[in-house]
Amino acid sequence: MKRLYLLRHTKSSWDDPNGSDFERSLSKRGRRAAPSIGRFIESEGMMPRLVLCSTARRTRETCELMSAGWTPPPDIRFEDVLYLAAPESIRGLLAGLPAHADQVMVIGHNPGIQTLASELGGGDRSEEMRRLRSKYPTGGLAVFDLYIDRWRDIGTAKATLRRFIAPRDLD
């Protein structure tokens, strides 16, 4: 079994209308939310061992602020392919992971993160899954158990949504 954490970056700033999307930083709200999510993950004992993070500024900042106090720190890899990635690209990246990587977090962007989470949820009609499909807010985190032994089998994985939280749930 594998555990997959799908995190949408926390709230970004739109203060610079001429700045590039890739270089947008976090807003004050996003800077507050990221450590809160990190504390929640740690308090729940849901510590990913590997974090795959988009190279966009807002995802890198989310990753840094979220994982700052984690012990032991996870292995963090910044992946260009995750910037505005479609679900197929995220799956492709995951499929190349070694079998021993059993708890992996992806920090990325919508709509790819939400679409992949929705697809993994399949026919799940729980309240959490309905909420996830309705709105995957900035800072939203979905935690899935995947019933596979190798990441290369993610395309056919049966999955169970274990948690879906948003920063407002932690206030």
Side-chain angles (χ1 to χ4, degrees), residues 9 11 21 41 45-46 50 78 83 87 91 111 129 134 158 169:
H9 63 81
K11 187 74 175 166
D21 178 72
I41 290 168
M46 302 187 303
L50 173 63
F78 296 99
Y83 176 60
R91 270 198 207 92
M129 185 55 77
S134 171
K158 292 184 180 173
D169 300 330

Side-chain angles (χ1 to χ4, degrees), residues 136-151:
Y136 206 112
T138 53
L141 172 70
V143 181
F144 286 93
D145 285 339
L146 306 174
Y147 302 99
I148 55 175
D149 294 321
R150 298 173 308 236
W151 285 103

Side-chain angles (χ1 to χ4, degrees), residues 18-57:
N18 298 319
S20 75
D21 178 72
F22 186 81
E23 286 300 325
R24 271 192 298 124
S25 65
L26 294 180
S27 68
K28 288 179 186 176
R29 191 169 104 195
R31 291 184 184 285
R32 283 191 311 270
S36 179
I37 293 164
R39 287 188 298 273
F40 169 78
I41 290 168
E42 190 169 36
S43 73
E44 295 291 311
M46 302 187 303
M47 299 293 290
R49 293 189 177 93
L50 173 63
V51 176
L52 304 174
C53 183
S54 162
T55 52
R57 183 174 176 184

Side-chain angles (χ1 to χ4, degrees), residues 30-150:
R31 291 184 184 285
R32 283 191 311 270
S36 179
I37 293 164
R39 287 188 298 273
F40 169 78
I41 290 168
E42 190 169 36
S43 73
E44 295 291 311
M46 302 187 303
M47 299 293 290
R49 293 189 177 93
L50 173 63
V51 176
L52 304 174
C53 183
S54 162
T55 52
R57 183 174 176 184
R58 60 193 178 273
T59 52
R60 288 181 285 127
E61 289 177 352
T62 297
C63 182
E64 179 183 320
L65 292 168
M66 175 195 63
S67 64
W70 289 357
T71 304
D75 180 21
I76 299 171
R77 289 181 15 198
F78 296 99
E79 300 284 347
D80 290 329
V81 72
L82 289 174
Y83 176 60
L84 304 179
E88 300 78 31
S89 297
I90 300 169
R91 270 198 207 92
L93 183 62
L94 291 168
L97 294 177
H100 69 270
D102 57 347
Q103 294 193 47
V104 177
M105 174 180 279
V106 175
I107 304 175
H109 312 266
N110 260 4
I113 289 288
Q114 181 176 16
T115 302
L116 178 58
S118 183
E119 290 171 358
L120 288 171
D124 183 341
R125 299 197 188 292
S126 68
E127 181 57 35
E128 278 191 323
M129 185 55 77
R130 279 193 290 275
R131 197 171 131 220
L132 178 155
R133 286 183 173 129
S134 171
K135 181 172 181 166
Y136 206 112
T138 53
L141 172 70
V143 181
F144 286 93
D145 285 339
L146 306 174
Y147 302 99
I148 55 175
D149 294 321
R150 298 173 308 236

